[in-house]
Amino acid sequence: MVFAALGGFTCSICAPNSMVKVEIEDFAATQFPGRWESIDKSKLKMGSPTPNPCNQAPDRRTHWFMMWVDSR
């Protein structure tokens, strides 16, 4: 998986298509402790709907947009 932190309160994760939401959120928490939630950016008027297919390996990977919810 690829993890990219964006300002400490959002992040992006590129993960295998076989992974589900809870697995992605748990992985984010291993990178930065706290509770992360997968968010559809389009509902926040922040771009295209997420999760979405990876632009480099759409048949194998998915991009997830995450927001930090709170510390654990």
Side-chain angles (χ1 to χ4, degrees), residues 3-65:
F3 180 88
L6 309 167
F9 63 93
T10 66
C11 71
S12 180
I13 295 175
C14 179
N17 289 343
S18 60
M19 294 187 74
V20 296
K21 184 178 191 263
V22 69
E23 292 173 310
I24 301 298
E25 292 169 346
D26 288 347
F27 174 76
T30 68
Q31 302 303 298
F32 281 114
R35 188 166 67 88
W36 292 85
E37 186 174 332
S38 171
I39 302 292
D40 179 352
K41 289 192 316 184
S42 68
K43 292 182 179 178
L44 301 174
K45 304 205 184 306
M46 294 175 62
S48 301
T50 53
N52 58 315
C54 173
N55 57 342
Q56 296 189 19
D59 58 330
R60 297 188 326 262
R61 303 186 71 75
T62 301
H63 288 185
W64 297 77
F65 179 76

